[in-house]
Amino acid sequence: MSKTRNNLYEFAEFRFEPAGGKLWRHDELFLLSPKACGLLTLLLERNGEFVSKEEIIQTVWADTFVEDGVLTQNIYTLRKLLGKDPDGRSLIENKTRLGYRMTAPIVAVSEDAKPDIIPSTIGTGSDDHSDADRRRRNWKRVGAFLAIVFVLLVTTSFVGYRFFTPAISAMFRKPIDRVKFTQLTNSGDLTSAALSPDGNFLAFVKKKRVYLKDTVSDKEIPLEIPGVKSFSALQFSADGNFLYFCDNDNLMARSKILRVSRFGGDTKLIVEGSYGRFSVSPDERSVAYYDVLLPDTRPKLLVRDIETKATRELLAISSLGSFCTECAPAWSPDGKKLIHINENSSNFLNQLIVVDLSTGKQEEFGLQKLRRFRHAFWFPDGESFVVSATDNDRYFHLWKVYYPNGDVQQITNGLSSYENSIVSRDGRKILTLRSTENANVFVSKNSDLEVQTELTKGNTNNFGKTSLLWTDESNVLFSAQVEPDTIENFWLVDTEGSGKRQITNEKAFRPNRPSSDGRFIYYSINRNRFANISRIDAFGGNLTDITDNSDGSRGSPQVSPDGNWLYYIYRNKDEVKILRRNLADRQEEVFLEDKDVQCGFFLVISPDGKYLACPNWRESSGGDGQNKTEVILMSIENRSVVKPLQISRTALYIRISPDSRAIEFIADSDDGAKIMRLGFDETEPKPILVLPNERIFNFAWSRSGTQLALSRGQRFRDAVLLSEFDQ
């Protein structure tokens, strides 16, 4: 590399000093990792010329084997830090086959051009004392100062060792600027994966089947596990000889926890019923999992002795909305602590809590830099753990977190998410699922659902994935998180694909579960401890709070077609019921209160206004071993349950068909994503739309039933092994 490293570079709003890795934006200082510093220096030295990937790797990562992904990660980090120019262009440009270059004018300022430091002139006048006296006096002062320093060091040494060692260690801790990525699968359709403790075997689930792969020989075999049709939450036993898993691929439904030999065969029941993910203790004597113990409707974190079945409750989660189905409790290596994650889906601010198993004491572990968490896993030293989390964007990355001081180091970055991390026994390998996802909004006519018009275009914004709704026959409302926003908001687009615009502007709390009668849009939002319901007009104006209660959460609003009634799910720690509000006189009343009806996160009303339906989250599986979700159909006229309907699997979204005679839901299968329809008087659903090579994330019918809106796209998820991050 050129020997101009001691120069200062000025470009755009920045000033960069390569020698110290110091980057200033005006008065704000950023410290770059050594590799990011070397990369930025090389691009600045070339002053607008393209630098090829090969030259960058040979220069910045000389004598080191790295994959292209490491370069991409560092480019992503710099782009995120530098931002864009006034015209919206990235300051680092990339062109295929040419490489990367800086787009802003660059000025190299020599070190000699720095302002000189002017020596102080105080004390240069005449002095009554001789030079010898002055030197003796100065030495006495120095001696006294050193004596004081010595006494302070002695008296504070123990305190410093006890309380400041973690902070001192953090000062000398090397940043993670080099990670080796080894892709273990390339099918793109994994739903779960686990790494054996020695790091030599990978177990993974795809297409409802478990596979075992030797990471050294690259050979894989499918496992025969009779009597089980779905799998999730895979993990190896401590000796690597067994696999634990849930018998359900829908973590929102109740599952059994089972154990099987790593080569397949018959299973052993560990826990009869659990929700979400689980984990087994290092000594394999206990399992930590979540369940609901009625009549209290709050999920509980439980620990069960595998042999005696003795079970104790560690904590109760404040509400179902704070339950993270993707987050497994994480055992510390000594088996004395558990990491539990509370999720707040409304504002994307999660809590990471460390629970002491002997005392039950809960310690909230604050990480101000990070917002959302997924699946933590301890390193074997017990002094750090890896967690999948976001900082200020939508992607989940892996972070190494030091306990108990909370210092964090980023392990991955880029435009993919990394989730469900597992650390090998020696702490030198991390298995993770790397996923990329995109969704866009399409519309089609009921007469030919396969002919679809794309209304949005984008690769990373997941348009319509969590919210999708027709406000009238010409406009579709959809959810989107657009950079630099950290919160999803609602957008509108017309059926011609024009006029796309944002209609909510929430900065801290996510609006969700919208419903419209054509005049107004109702939605749920959590601006304090409890979800309540707000309303805007059909084009985003006139924000009004419909409910503002603090006795429980009110969510998933559904407005009747005539605009007279608003139905919604009410939930507190003791009960779940359906309420409704007369929109004319604003009076609230109980619509249905039934201990056997525990509506999940989603409520839907039929187009004719005669029925309500919701997934009953207390139900899980049918007697034939096939995982089922029970959907409760309710009559609005009689305020009663009409019947339960069994569907094979559902996401959070169900709909009632345009003719108000069937429920519809999304199902994934080997031959593609489907929208299935099950008539109220039928037992077997039928597909009404099949997309062989894509995923369907959400769908919604127009009020007339003549048009269908789809959020569809791709999701690729593969197992990746990370190593050499500790060198």
Side-chain angles (χ1 to χ4, degrees):
M1 187 177 290
S2 167
K3 295 184 180 180
T4 59
R5 277 185 172 273
N6 290 329
N7 281 355
L8 295 176
Y9 293 94
E10 294 181 348
F11 61 99
E13 301 175 321
F14 296 93
R15 186 178 178 90
F16 177 55
E17 180 183 340
K22 299 176 181 177
L23 178 70
W24 288 270
R25 180 192 285 119
H26 304 303
D27 295 329
E28 187 176 8
L29 174 63
F30 304 92
L31 296 179
L32 302 183
S33 69
K35 298 306 181 185
C37 176
L39 174 57
L40 180 57
T41 302
L42 177 60
L43 295 176
L44 291 172
E45 287 179 353
R46 299 296 286 270
N47 199 6
E49 296 179 359
F50 281 103
V51 186
S52 68
K53 290 183 180 180
E54 293 75 15
E55 182 179 351
I56 292 174
I57 291 175
Q58 290 173 6
T59 304
V60 180
W61 284 274
D63 303 321
T64 303
F65 172 77
V66 294
E67 294 186 344
D68 287 348
V70 177
L71 170 58
T72 304
Q73 291 171 17
N74 280 271
I75 289 289
Y76 171 81
T77 299
L78 289 177
R79 280 177 166 167
K80 186 174 179 181
L81 188 60
L82 299 177
K84 299 179 179 180
D85 65 15
D87 295 326
R89 299 178 304 171
S90 173
L91 293 183
I92 299 179
E93 182 184 7
N94 170 231
K95 283 194 175 181
T96 305
R97 294 189 297 275
L98 293 179
Y100 298 90
R101 71 170 181 176
M102 300 296 298
T103 60
I106 300 165
V107 177
V109 183
S110 172
E111 285 284 331
D112 297 336
K114 285 182 169 181
D116 291 333
I117 300 175
I118 303 174
S120 172
T121 58
I122 298 176
T124 57
S126 61
D127 197 329
D128 295 334
H129 299 282
S130 66
D131 290 342
D133 289 339
R134 186 164 57 249
R135 284 195 295 270
R136 280 195 298 272
R137 186 177 69 237
N138 289 342
W139 276 113
K140 287 180 180 179
R141 291 174 178 172
V142 171
F145 173 75
L146 291 175
I148 294 172
V149 170
F150 177 77
V151 171
L152 290 174
L153 288 174
V154 171
T155 57
T156 61
S157 60
F158 175 76
V159 176
Y161 177 81
R162 173 67 178 83
F163 294 102
F164 298 111
T165 297
I168 294 172
S169 299
M171 294 173 60
F172 294 96
R173 192 173 289 136
K174 294 192 303 181
I176 298 175
D177 55 16
R178 178 182 184 275
V179 181
K180 181 180 178 181
F181 289 71
T182 304
Q183 187 155 330
L184 300 181
T185 65
N186 57 15
S187 61
D189 57 354
L190 270 62
T191 57
S192 183
L195 182 70
S196 63
D198 60 11
N200 293 330
F201 289 94
L202 167 72
F204 60 91
V205 178
K206 67 174 182 179
K207 296 181 179 179
K208 299 183 183 296
R209 193 163 189 183
V210 180
Y211 292 79
L212 182 70
K213 182 171 185 174
D214 187 321
T215 60
V216 178
S217 67
D218 210 33
K219 294 182 179 180
E220 66 181 50
I221 59 171
L223 302 187
E224 295 296 333
I225 306 177
V228 184
K229 296 185 178 181
S230 297
F231 304 86
S232 63
L234 279 180
Q235 60 183 280
F236 274 92
S237 61
D239 60 9
N241 292 326
F242 295 92
L243 285 168
Y244 293 86
F245 61 90
C246 288
D247 69 336
N248 200 330
D249 56 5
N250 180 7
L251 292 172
M252 291 300 298
R254 210 155 185 254
S255 309
K256 296 176 182 178
I257 300 175
L258 303 173
R259 190 183 76 179
V260 70
S261 165
R262 78 177 186 192
F263 298 109
D266 293 332
T267 61
K268 177 182 177 180
L269 177 66
I270 304 299
V271 174
E272 178 66 33
S274 71
Y275 282 96
R277 295 186 179 272
F278 69 95
S279 62
V280 180
S281 64
D283 61 9
E284 286 193 71
R285 294 181 179 179
S286 303
V287 57
Y289 65 101
Y290 299 96
D291 200 1
V292 178
L293 305 176
L294 298 175
D296 190 342
T297 63
R298 296 174 300 172
K300 313 294 193 305
L301 173 58
L302 306 172
V303 173
R304 170 175 288 196
D305 186 291
I306 292 178
E307 290 301 321
T308 68
K309 307 300 182 184
T311 305
R312 66 188 180 105
E313 177 184 325
L314 279 186
L315 59 84
I317 301 171
S318 59
S319 69
L320 194 61
S322 297
F323 177 42
C324 176
T325 58
E326 295 289 339
C327 307
W331 292 87
S332 61
D334 60 9
K336 296 181 178 180
K337 297 183 179 67
L338 275 172
I339 293 177
H340 158 74
I341 295 172
N342 268 353
E343 178 179 58
N344 190 327
S345 59
S346 292
N347 61 9
F348 291 164
L349 289 174
N350 293 10
Q351 293 175 298
L352 194 152
I353 297 171
V354 180
V355 185
D356 187 301
L357 273 79
S358 61
T359 65
K361 181 181 177 181
Q362 301 176 29
E363 170 194 0
E364 184 173 348
F365 196 51
L367 295 173
Q368 295 183 355
K369 184 176 183 180
L370 306 179
R371 295 179 59 87
R372 304 174 66 195
F373 303 103
R374 292 286 187 275
H375 198 81
F377 201 102
W378 288 85
F379 281 94
D381 59 10
E383 298 177 354
S384 58
F385 56 87
V386 61
V387 65
S388 177
T390 66
D391 49 3
N392 285 319
D393 59 21
R394 67 175 63 88
Y395 302 106
F396 283 91
H397 288 291
L398 300 188
W399 305 76
K400 187 173 184 179
V401 180
Y402 290 86
Y403 181 82
N405 69 342
D407 185 32
V408 299
Q409 291 181 308
Q410 189 166 3
I411 300 175
T412 66
N413 53 35
L415 299 180
S416 297
S417 285
Y418 295 82
E419 303 181 30
N420 303 330
S421 54
I422 299 173
V423 182
S424 61
R425 185 188 293 118
D426 61 9
R428 303 186 67 179
K429 298 176 182 178
I430 299 175
L431 176 75
T432 183
L433 288 178
R434 178 169 61 188
S435 63
T436 58
E437 192 173 84
N438 67 80
N440 280 291
V441 177
F442 294 74
V443 294
S444 61
K445 301 291 186 182
N446 191 18
S447 57
D448 191 351
L449 294 180
E450 294 185 357
V451 177
Q452 300 169 7
T453 301
E454 187 172 8
L455 302 187
T456 67
K457 296 183 183 296
N459 293 325
T460 61
N461 292 313
N462 286 329
F463 294 126
K465 180 184 172 185
T466 60
S467 295
L468 191 64
L469 170 75
W470 291 82
T471 59
D472 56 34
E473 294 300 313
S474 301
N475 291 280
V476 178
L477 175 147
F478 62 93
S479 57
Q481 181 187 347
V482 179
E483 297 286 4
D485 293 342
T486 59
I487 294 293
E488 283 187 345
N489 274 284
F490 291 152
W491 291 65
L492 274 180
V493 63
D494 62 34
T495 52
E496 301 299 321
S498 60
K500 186 176 71 174
R501 64 187 185 90
Q502 187 173 338
I503 63 169
T504 62
N505 192 29
E506 296 288 342
K507 299 297 184 183
F509 304 99
R510 178 170 67 105
N512 57 87
R513 306 286 189 259
S515 176
S516 177
D517 60 1
R519 297 176 300 161
F520 299 105
I521 299 166
Y522 299 84
Y523 58 89
S524 176
I525 191 165
N526 188 346
R527 294 193 177 95
N528 50 45
R529 292 183 58 222
F530 299 98
N532 274 284
I533 298 167
S534 293
R535 183 185 75 185
I536 53 178
D537 64 33
F539 293 95
N542 301 315
L543 174 63
T544 304
D545 290 332
I546 300 300
T547 68
D548 187 20
N549 304 83
S550 58
D551 59 336
S553 291
R554 289 160 171 79
S556 194
Q558 289 290 293
V559 61
S560 60
D562 58 14
N564 293 332
W565 293 93
L566 187 68
Y567 299 84
Y568 41 89
I569 301 170
Y570 170 83
R571 179 180 290 107
N572 63 22
K573 71 180 185 65
D574 298 317
E575 59 183 344
V576 177
K577 54 190 176 184
I578 298 175
L579 304 182
R580 72 175 182 178
R581 179 176 292 258
N582 187 312
L583 293 174
D585 60 21
R586 302 179 63 86
Q587 294 299 308
E588 182 181 75
E589 64 184 32
V590 175
F591 170 76
L592 182 67
E593 185 173 9
D594 186 332
K595 63 181 180 60
D596 293 324
V597 177
Q598 302 288 310
C599 281
F601 298 99
F602 201 83
L603 183 70
V604 64
I605 193 167
S606 62
D608 63 7
K610 294 182 178 181
Y611 299 101
L612 291 171
C614 72
N616 196 12
W617 60 272
R618 286 176 51 193
E619 296 297 325
S620 60
S621 60
D624 61 353
Q626 172 67 49
N627 289 300
K628 300 285 187 180
T629 294
E630 183 178 79
V631 175
I632 298 296
L633 182 67
M634 295 160 277
S635 167
I636 290 178
E637 181 180 3
N638 299 325
R639 296 199 194 188
S640 61
V641 174
V642 176
K643 64 188 312 182
L645 300 168
Q646 298 288 336
I647 59 177
S648 60
R649 181 182 182 272
T650 183
L652 295 180
Y653 310 107
I654 60 171
R655 306 288 180 184
I656 296 181
S657 61
D659 63 5
S660 299
R661 295 181 180 179
I663 60 169
E664 298 174 343
F665 58 95
I666 300 168
D668 296 319
S669 64
D670 293 346
D671 55 349
K674 302 176 181 179
I675 296 180
M676 307 293 292
R677 178 176 290 171
L678 177 64
F680 292 164
D681 298 321
E682 298 174 346
T683 57
E684 292 297 327
K686 301 179 179 63
I688 62 171
L689 176 65
V690 180
L691 296 180
N693 300 312
E694 291 197 53
R695 291 184 64 91
I696 300 174
F697 297 103
N698 207 338
F699 70 103
W701 289 100
S702 65
R703 290 171 57 81
S704 67
T706 59
Q707 299 178 90
L708 178 68
L710 289 172
S711 172
R712 66 175 178 87
Q714 302 283 351
R715 176 188 290 163
F716 300 101
R717 182 178 289 173
D718 277 299
V720 177
L721 193 66
L722 310 184
S723 59
E724 300 182 13
F725 50 83
D726 57 348
Q727 299 179 1

